Amino acid sequence: LNKRFGPNMMLFDMGVDIRANTTAVEIRRAIDEADKLFDIVMISERIDESLILLKELLCWDYSDVVFFTKNARRDDMKPHMSEAATEKLRELNSGDVLLYDHFLSKHERIVNKYGIAKMANEISLLNGARQKMFDDCGVRVVNKSEAAGTLFKEYSDQVNGYAVDTNASPNCLLLSLPELAVLTRLKADAAKLLGKDKDKKPKK
């Protein structure tokens, strides 16, 4: 295995010691442990449903789970993968397939229990909140060349980004900025807060 990339990267990211001789029993044990550890595991292609379940679990509002899609390849940049290639990838990543299938099945059971019609209505409300935020922020969809030289330049020309006026609200900026720009801003804000707390003297 490469030190950074190789088969079963989802299990690797969970801290599972992935080896060439890792057995299915060991993988099942790791999946069971993850199931006990996490109250919710979100499924990327069922992200709206996952966010609604997260909102319910944490007693949040729609505004707390509004997001703009990032790092998603444009349709014209998505390669076609043959059925043979797909099956080969599933074979090479059989541990991740077990992990994914387990939590997808669990997700579907929870959604069914939550109520299919209720979930559809919740997703409609979430989409409405997302569109309202998009409109209120005055968001513009931009490609890499259009965003060149600005905070909104994405890492790749295969994805579109978003741009807002630089004097937009903090929420609008954080929703629109690329990942690295968001992290830089959050780290700077955290450093300022920590610096202020450091300067505070205890009351006598």
Side-chain angles (χ1 to χ4, degrees), residues 35-82:
D35 201 349
K36 293 173 185 175
L37 180 62
F38 298 111
D39 292 314
I40 183 171
V41 172
M42 303 172 74
I43 308 295
S44 60
E45 70 272 22
R46 307 283 282 274
I47 192 62
D48 283 348
E49 293 177 352
S50 296
L51 286 169
I52 293 301
L53 296 177
L54 181 67
K55 178 180 80 70
E56 294 287 320
L57 180 65
L58 298 178
C59 300
W60 281 354
D61 192 27
Y62 298 102
S63 60
D64 297 312
V65 291
V66 162
F67 73 97
F68 298 159
T69 301
K70 296 290 185 67
N71 294 343
R73 288 186 184 183
R74 301 195 310 270
D75 287 341
D76 61 316
M77 288 293 179
K78 294 179 182 178
H80 171 72
M81 188 174 292
S82 68

Side-chain angles (χ1 to χ4, degrees), residues 7 26 28 74 76 100 140 175:
E26 290 175 298
R28 287 286 185 190
R74 301 195 310 270
D76 61 316
Y100 173 82
R140 307 183 303 279
L175 283 168

Side-chain angles (χ1 to χ4, degrees), residues 86-170:
T86 300
E87 285 305 311
K88 186 62 177 178
L89 283 173
R90 289 179 64 87
E91 178 186 337
L92 291 171
N93 295 279
S94 58
D96 275 358
V97 170
L98 288 173
L99 175 70
Y100 173 82
D101 287 347
H102 174 88
F103 283 108
L104 177 62
S105 295
K106 183 174 182 179
H107 174 92
E108 290 174 343
R109 290 195 302 272
I110 294 172
V111 170
N112 286 332
K113 184 176 179 181
Y114 184 83
I116 300 298
K118 182 181 178 183
M119 178 60 78
N121 183 63
E122 288 291 308
I123 289 175
S124 177
L125 293 172
L126 175 60
N127 286 334
R130 183 184 299 136
Q131 187 61 51
K132 184 176 187 306
M133 179 68 78
F134 201 90
D135 295 339
D136 290 348
C137 290
V139 177
R140 307 183 303 279
V141 178
V142 293
N143 59 37
K144 190 176 181 180
S145 61
E146 291 171 325
T150 73
L151 291 171
F152 304 100
K153 181 182 177 182
E154 288 286 351
Y155 70 98
S156 169
D157 58 3
Q158 297 187 22
V159 302
N160 283 328
Y162 305 101
V164 295
D165 291 338
T166 51
N167 61 352
S169 71

